[in-house]
Amino acid sequence: MHMSSQGPKPKRRQPAPRRLTNAEHLSLRGKEGWRSLKNGFGLQVGRVRYGAEVSSVSGDEGTVCVQSFFSGKNVAWVIPAVAQGSGGMRTILNHVEALRREGARCDLHVVDGSRERQSAHLIEENLRRFYGCEGCGVYAAPRIDDSYDIAIATMWNTVPYVADAPCRDKAYFVQDFEPWFYPMGDSYLAAQQSYRSGLPAITIGRWLSHKLGDEFGIDTVPYDFAADENVYQDLGMTRENAVCILYQPEKPRRCKDVTRELIAVLRQVAPKK
């Protein structure tokens, strides 16, 4: 029997809801806004806590049943071209994996502006080799249809695809103020215009949330910077008297000329250190 090259989409996973005791302190988001509750007082079905919704309340058992908002959802992530060693891509894929652990099905739709666009197979292989990312649907160009519940933009050039997507829920995952990646010109203005798309933004850090909200009127949800303590640890070593500089001359925002001048000044001030 002939099968389509895309194949049928797998069934949505329905993981068992996590159960929390009423004694735990919950911050729940309802229509009235954020509210802190203890001991289950005023707890209602349907309220949301950081992507988890209360699906049932049982006062007799002293438990509440909390299920991920993303459980069983189809999520389209629109991402830039996949290159090796990108911290921004690593962060995106970490969040993709987090949603998958919550029971979401995630597809990656790649926006590649280069003349030699990579095939979906090569993109999938690079995701595995460079970032250890496996198990997602991969598309060499955005193909977002109404089978998706949520679409998420991750860079300024991915925003138009999400803005035009036939999804009920859309968001813009913002890691940096991207106009500052470029000198004044087409890319600067296009990145700036992406914040006028009407998409609500999820930002890393509160400064970015305030900047987008104040200057562009965007609805934003910030979260604080974090680090994986399994990777980044205090090894108890004595720090050497040294300066570490990220030198990327191909990126104007890294100020290569200023960096070289700074190194020359440091050598004059502390030639033996």
Side-chain angles (χ1 to χ4, degrees):
M1 181 170 58
H2 177 71
M3 295 289 290
S4 166
S5 60
Q6 292 295 327
K9 291 186 177 179
K11 279 190 169 184
R12 296 179 175 181
R13 291 178 290 171
Q14 296 288 350
R18 292 165 287 148
R19 302 187 72 83
L20 306 177
T21 66
N22 279 354
E24 293 190 65
H25 189 206
L26 304 179
S27 295
L28 301 175
R29 186 179 182 180
K31 294 181 179 179
E32 301 82 8
W34 292 101
R35 177 181 296 178
S36 293
L37 304 172
K38 282 187 177 180
N39 300 323
F41 175 76
L43 203 58
Q44 296 180 20
V45 173
R47 293 186 182 275
V48 176
R49 176 186 184 270
Y50 299 112
E53 64 184 4
V54 178
S55 57
S56 67
V57 179
S58 175
D60 295 337
E61 299 178 5
T63 61
V64 293
C65 191
V66 180
Q67 185 169 12
S68 170
F69 170 79
F70 293 102
S71 177
K73 297 291 196 300
N74 284 333
V75 183
W77 291 82
V78 188
I79 65 174
V82 177
Q84 189 172 11
S86 168
M89 181 63 70
R90 168 68 67 189
T91 300
I92 292 169
L93 296 176
N94 284 346
H95 286 74
V96 170
E97 184 58 31
L99 260 61
R100 292 182 66 201
R101 288 197 300 268
E102 294 294 320
R105 176 183 178 274
C106 293
D107 288 341
L108 305 177
H109 298 252
V110 179
V111 177
D112 187 349
S114 65
R115 293 182 178 180
E116 298 181 1
R117 180 179 295 174
Q118 297 178 341
S119 67
H121 176 74
L122 181 57
I123 294 171
E124 194 170 0
E125 177 63 17
N126 287 340
L127 286 166
R128 184 191 63 78
R129 288 175 52 226
F130 300 157
Y131 302 100
C133 177
E134 298 181 273
C136 295
V138 174
Y139 295 86
R143 297 174 53 187
I144 306 175
D145 57 30
D146 58 7
S147 68
Y148 290 102
D149 302 292
I150 307 165
I152 303 174
T154 58
M155 187 177 175
W156 65 268
N157 62 344
T158 69
V159 166
Y161 299 95
V162 172
D164 294 339
C167 302
R168 186 189 67 177
D169 295 316
K170 308 175 185 182
Y172 187 0
F173 180 48
V174 185
Q175 301 186 54
D176 287 289
F177 187 68
E178 291 181 351
W180 288 350
F181 283 13
Y182 313 99
M184 176 55 71
D186 290 339
S187 295
Y188 182 104
L189 295 173
Q192 192 178 58
Q193 191 65 20
S194 72
Y195 303 130
R196 299 186 174 96
S197 65
L199 297 178
I202 303 168
T203 68
I204 300 181
R206 299 176 185 276
W207 172 86
L208 192 52
S209 178
H210 286 300
K211 185 171 183 62
L212 297 184
D214 292 344
E215 296 185 15
F216 299 93
I218 298 179
D219 291 331
T220 62
V221 177
Y223 69 91
D224 293 330
F225 289 92
D228 185 348
E229 293 182 344
N230 293 319
V231 177
Y232 301 98
Q233 304 173 33
D234 182 359
L235 300 179
M237 300 173 63
T238 301
R239 291 189 179 185
E240 60 179 315
N241 188 16
V243 177
C244 180
I245 297 177
L246 179 63
Y247 185 68
Q248 295 176 309
E250 73 281 5
K251 297 181 179 180
R253 67 183 183 276
R254 299 303 187 197
C255 302
K256 61 181 176 64
D257 294 331
V258 173
T259 300
R260 287 200 296 263
E261 292 174 7
L262 173 61
I263 293 173
V265 170
L266 287 173
R267 284 176 174 171
Q268 291 178 354
V269 173
K272 295 183 180 180
K273 296 184 178 181

